[in-house]
Every structure is written in structure tokens, then in C-alpha cells.
Amino acid sequence: QIKAVQLALEYVRHVETNQCTGGTGEILTLTFDHTPWIQYTEPAVRTANFLTKILALDGDLSQFDESTYYSMVRNNVHGDTLIYGSAIAVEPGVIPTKPKYCPYAYNNRSSSTVTAFDIAISYDYQTNTTEWYLGAKDKDRSNVTIAKDVVRSLNSPK
């Protein structure tokens, strides 16, 4: 991986020191192993899957109170991980009483605290210039693999 980074830096250095003439015709092939990052993305994926299942069954998410949403985002940032913040950006109509609602939590490691608040109070995340919101909203997820959990209880068949 170090060799790949060195190659990339050499390419950037080459591009920076030469005049641009419409491209070099060279191709820099980099590979990225996402496997180590799964542990950091898993909390957000699980939260999204849970809320999506509830939404599909009930049609909206009005059955949860605010403390439930704040618990979800706080739980996503707790622990000794690289995760700094977590948000649930709610679409209009998903919670009928809240046309804009975006519970957010961040981990302030220097004070060992997690702070949570609704960023929609002072920030309109639903505008067409909010890349983090629109990028996630408009992304094609037709080829996403959905993890399935097996739950067994005393009354379930084996």
C-alpha cells in the first residue's frame, strides 16, 4: 500500500510540475481495500436498515419519540472508534409532525462527552446545495447487499 501511495504522489508531483495539455494519457490505477472500514460504517448501516424496515411496515416513523432517535445517533458514536458524528436526516413526511428533523450526535473525545441536538433547528439540510444529504438520498442502491439477521427465541423453530 505504501508503494501505491508513493506512486500516486509521484503522479501528482508530475502533473503539478508540467503544463496542462489536455491530459497525459497516463492512467493511475489505485485499489482501495474497504474491509477495515466496515467496523466504522456498520453502526450507520444497522441504524438505516432498522429505520427502513419500520418505515416499510408502518408507513412513517411517528411511533418513536425524540429520545429514541437521539439514542440511535449517540450509540453510533460511543466507543473508541474513528466515528466522530452520526445523523439521521429525515425526509419530509416520514415523521408527520416534523417536516425537517435531523438528530445529530458527535463525540468530543477531549472531554469524554457525546453531544446531541437537532441540526435542522439552525441548518436547512434539505436544500439542493447540501451534498452530504443529496448524495446519500439520490445514490443508486439497486445493487446493495442487505445483511439478514437470524433471531431465535424459545418459541421459534430451529
Side-chain angles (χ1 to χ4, degrees):
Q1 288 181 347
I2 292 173
K3 186 164 180 79
V5 171
Q6 289 173 332
L7 180 63
L9 291 173
E10 287 174 22
Y11 180 78
V12 170
R13 210 172 294 117
H14 170 76
V15 170
E16 285 180 343
T17 57
N18 293 300
Q19 289 186 350
C20 182
T21 58
T24 64
E26 299 173 20
I27 296 174
L28 177 64
T29 304
L30 298 175
T31 58
F32 178 74
D33 179 12
H34 72 282
T35 308
W37 296 96
I38 290 174
Q39 66 178 319
Y40 303 113
T41 60
E42 190 68 22
V45 170
R46 294 247 176 226
T47 299
N49 286 346
F50 173 74
L51 293 173
T52 300
K53 287 176 187 176
I54 298 298
L55 187 58
L57 293 172
D58 295 350
D60 67 36
L61 297 175
S62 60
Q63 68 271 38
F64 298 124
D65 61 10
E66 286 191 7
S67 65
T68 303
Y69 295 103
Y70 287 117
S71 291
M72 289 179 196
V73 293
R74 283 195 326 268
N75 285 334
N76 286 349
V77 299
H78 272 291
D80 188 22
T81 71
L82 295 176
I83 300 172
Y84 174 78
S86 175
I88 300 171
V90 179
E91 280 283 282
V94 172
I95 302 174
T97 59
K98 294 183 175 291
K100 291 186 181 181
Y101 182 55
C102 189
Y104 172 75
Y106 68 93
N107 192 337
N108 186 341
R109 286 177 176 66
S110 62
S111 65
S112 298
T113 59
V114 172
T115 303
F117 58 94
D118 180 3
I119 65 173
I121 292 171
S122 58
Y123 174 70
D124 186 2
Y125 64 92
Q126 295 175 348
T127 67
N128 61 0
T129 58
T130 310
E131 192 278 328
W132 64 264
Y133 173 71
L134 289 179
K137 177 183 171 189
D138 296 338
K139 186 173 182 170
D140 178 16
R141 291 181 175 75
S142 59
N143 64 349
V144 173
T145 302
I146 299 174
K148 296 187 180 182
D149 296 331
V150 176
V151 178
R152 292 199 172 111
S153 66
L154 289 175
N155 299 326
S156 64
K158 292 187 180 192

